[in-house]
mmCIF file of all heavy atoms in Angstrom:
data_model
loop_
_atom_site.group_PDB
_atom_site.id
_atom_site.type_symbol
_atom_site.label_atom_id
_atom_site.label_comp_id
_atom_site.label_asym_id
_atom_site.label_seq_id
_atom_site.Cartn_x
_atom_site.Cartn_y
_atom_site.Cartn_z
ATOM 1 N N SER V 57 -0.420 -10.276 10.232
ATOM 2 C CA SER V 57 -1.057 -10.826 9.020
ATOM 3 C C SER V 57 -0.144 -10.642 7.918
ATOM 4 O O SER V 57 -0.144 -11.413 6.957
ATOM 5 C CB SER V 57 -2.406 -10.175 8.934
ATOM 6 O OG SER V 57 -3.379 -10.729 9.925
ATOM 7 N N TYR V 222 11.951 5.090 6.702
ATOM 8 C CA TYR V 222 10.668 5.506 7.289
ATOM 9 C C TYR V 222 10.210 6.752 6.697
ATOM 10 O O TYR V 222 10.875 7.853 6.756
ATOM 11 C CB TYR V 222 10.787 5.569 8.750
ATOM 12 C CG TYR V 222 9.531 5.897 9.495
ATOM 13 C CD1 TYR V 222 8.501 5.008 9.518
ATOM 14 C CD2 TYR V 222 9.168 7.233 9.949
ATOM 15 C CE1 TYR V 222 7.254 5.253 10.152
ATOM 16 C CE2 TYR V 222 7.961 7.521 10.635
ATOM 17 C CZ TYR V 222 6.932 6.510 10.762
ATOM 18 O OH TYR V 222 5.808 6.948 11.324
ATOM 19 N N LEU V 233 -0.363 19.106 8.371
ATOM 20 C CA LEU V 233 -1.627 19.545 7.918
ATOM 21 C C LEU V 233 -2.534 19.825 9.103
ATOM 22 O O LEU V 233 -3.173 20.953 9.168
ATOM 23 C CB LEU V 233 -2.300 18.434 7.082
ATOM 24 C CG LEU V 233 -1.484 18.026 5.756
ATOM 25 C CD1 LEU V 233 -2.173 16.984 5.088
ATOM 26 C CD2 LEU V 233 -1.150 19.224 4.975
ATOM 27 N N ILE V 254 0.580 14.542 0.657
ATOM 28 C CA ILE V 254 1.553 13.521 1.091
ATOM 29 C C ILE V 254 2.240 12.896 -0.034
ATOM 30 O O ILE V 254 3.432 12.648 0.051
ATOM 31 C CB ILE V 254 0.678 12.404 1.921
ATOM 32 C CG1 ILE V 254 0.107 12.913 3.200
ATOM 33 C CG2 ILE V 254 1.538 11.217 2.209
ATOM 34 C CD1 ILE V 254 -0.912 12.057 3.905
#
Side-chain angles (χ1 to χ4, degrees):
S57 292
Y222 180 70
L233 302 183
I254 295 171

